[in-house]
């Protein structure tokens, strides 16, 4: 039985990765910085990504066939306040994992973000990254350090990852909208930022399928639709049949944001579709799957 180490297994993408690995019959070891939530077939290991010795030891001790790094410091504004911690988690820890994977002969899959771009238009994998803030800069540095340390590694850029969080009350771009509208509250959504949202289930499946295909380098993994935050809200309300939702369009400039946001970091997914020989799902199809698995 192949063994997988999922770094950040308690996070949103990590949860779906654990489920996908379990479905595939893999032996699963997962790391968490906090208290682990019981999951079928998962053995847990504590790990603080700021401790590089512990990061390398995790790979050495587990001796996995595949390592999936689903952990990151994703608080965009928080990264502006804590750039050193953002670099430690988003850049240096991934580099340490890549070095350890190369030495152990393990496949390394690292998850990055659309915020490596300035958001001036749709971007494929060949587009030049131009991050606007500390989050995007540290994630881009992580990409480059990973591929320099292990050229056989996979880097998967995702965008606005969403899905059911079964491990904590932390919301994401879709569940926050649901929580607000079901409570009858007004939901203010940007009409001038467009993204290609990534369903965590889609991301987990693509990660393992690309690893199995021995793919390497950078891939964009997201839905096929480039939608505004407001359009996302409208789709959520429609998919879950919520009457009387109060969605209020706003512009990014009307909100006090510490870090700049790229206006349209829309990921082109042609490369992953051609590699896996299947289309990436549309955003509404992902919402329907969420509705059915609530």
């Amino acid at each position: 039985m192949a063994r997988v180490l999922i770094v950040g297994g308690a996070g949103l993408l990590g949860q779906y990765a654990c489920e996908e690995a379990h479905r595939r019959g893999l032996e699963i070891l997962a790391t968490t910085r906090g208290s682990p939530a019981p999951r079928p077939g998962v053995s847990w290991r504590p790990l603080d990504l700021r401790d590089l010795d512990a990061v390398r030891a995790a790979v050495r001790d587990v001796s996995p066939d595949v390592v999936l790094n689903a952990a990151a410091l994703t608080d965009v504004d928080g990264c502006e306040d804590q750039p050193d911690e953002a670099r430690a988690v988003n850049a240096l820890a991934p580099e340490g994992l890549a070095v350890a994977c190369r030495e152990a002969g393990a496949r390394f899959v690292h998850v990055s973000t659309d915020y490596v771009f300035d958001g001036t238009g749709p971007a494929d994998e060949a587009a030049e990254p131009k991050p606007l803030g500390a989050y995007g800069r540290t994630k881009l540095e992580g990409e480059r350090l990973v591929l320099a340390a292990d050229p056989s590694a996979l880097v998967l850029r995702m965008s606005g990852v969403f899905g059911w969080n079964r491990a904590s009350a932390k919301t994401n771009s879709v569940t926050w909208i649901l929580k607000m509208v079901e409570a009858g509250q007004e939901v203010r959504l940007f009409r001038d930022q467009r993204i290609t949202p990534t369903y965590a289930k889609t991301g987990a499946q693509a990660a393992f399928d690309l690893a199995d295909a021995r793919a390497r380098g950078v891939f964009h993994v997201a839905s096929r639709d480039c939608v505004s935050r407001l359009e996302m809200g409208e789709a959520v309300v429609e998919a879950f049949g919520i009457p009387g939702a109060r969605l209020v369009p706003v512009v990014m400039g009307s909100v006090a944001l510490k870090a700049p946001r790229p206006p349209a970091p829309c990921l082109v997914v042609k490369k992953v579709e051609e590699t896996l020989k299947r289309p990436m799902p549309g955003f509404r199809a992902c919402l329907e799957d969420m509705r059915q698995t609530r």
Side-chain angles (χ1 to χ4, degrees):
M1 179 187 297
R3 178 180 299 168
V4 60
L5 174 63
I6 299 174
V7 179
L12 180 60
L13 180 61
Q15 294 173 51
Y16 278 86
C18 287
E19 290 178 5
E20 182 64 19
H22 182 66
R23 188 184 70 80
R24 294 173 183 239
L26 304 177
E27 181 183 356
I28 310 164
L29 293 97
T31 76
T32 179
R33 186 174 168 182
S35 300
R39 303 197 71 80
V42 180
S43 298
W44 291 94
R45 177 188 179 105
L47 180 63
D48 185 339
L49 288 174
R50 297 170 299 181
D51 184 343
L52 290 180
D53 289 336
V55 166
R56 290 187 287 265
V59 177
R60 183 177 64 248
D61 296 348
V62 170
S63 190
D65 299 287
V66 177
V67 175
L68 170 59
N69 180 29
L73 189 61
T74 59
D75 181 349
V76 177
D77 290 330
C79 287
E80 297 294 319
D81 292 327
Q82 300 175 303
D84 291 340
E85 181 168 358
R87 184 169 186 259
V89 174
N90 294 341
L92 301 183
E95 179 187 32
L97 288 168
V99 170
C101 285
R102 186 194 67 220
E103 294 172 349
R107 293 280 291 136
F108 184 42
V109 184
H110 173 62
V111 177
S112 189
T113 174
D114 57 338
Y115 272 42
V116 300
F117 296 111
D118 62 6
T120 53
D124 62 15
E125 290 82 355
E128 181 183 358
K130 294 180 181 178
L132 300 179
Y135 172 59
R137 286 194 299 271
T138 56
K139 291 296 288 182
L140 178 59
E141 183 182 7
E143 289 185 11
R144 290 171 171 170
L145 290 173
V146 163
L147 292 173
D150 182 4
S152 69
L154 265 170
V155 172
L156 309 183
R157 290 179 182 146
M158 301 186 187
S159 171
V161 178
F162 68 93
W164 297 122
N165 189 338
R166 314 287 190 189
S168 77
K170 185 177 181 181
T171 59
N172 52 72
S173 56
V174 166
T175 58
W176 176 75
I177 294 170
L178 274 174
K179 179 181 178 180
M180 295 288 285
V181 296
E182 290 180 340
Q185 298 184 40
E186 179 181 280
V187 187
R188 297 165 63 84
L189 296 166
F190 296 141
R191 61 174 173 79
D192 59 344
Q193 187 190 37
R194 306 181 68 82
I195 66 171
T196 42
T198 302
Y199 187 20
K201 183 176 181 179
T202 300
Q205 291 171 343
F208 284 107
D209 286 343
L210 287 168
D212 287 345
R214 311 301 294 180
R216 62 173 62 191
V218 179
F219 285 81
H220 291 173
V221 178
S223 66
R224 305 191 79 192
D225 306 314
C226 183
V227 291
S228 71
R229 298 283 184 173
L230 178 61
E231 289 168 338
M232 288 176 64
E234 293 168 345
V236 168
V237 168
E238 180 180 339
F240 285 85
I242 304 170
R246 292 182 293 154
L247 307 180
V248 180
V250 297
V251 296
M252 287 190 287
S254 67
V255 180
L257 300 170
K258 185 176 291 289
R261 267 65 167 176
C266 298
L267 299 178
V268 176
V269 295
K270 182 179 179 181
K271 180 180 177 182
V272 71
E273 290 180 329
E274 290 177 344
T275 301
L276 296 181
K277 296 180 174 56
R278 67 170 186 264
M280 288 290 100
F283 180 55
R284 289 176 183 265
C286 296
L287 291 177
E288 177 61 23
D289 186 82
M290 280 187 70
R291 188 186 67 80
Q292 294 178 3
T293 56
R294 189 167 192 177

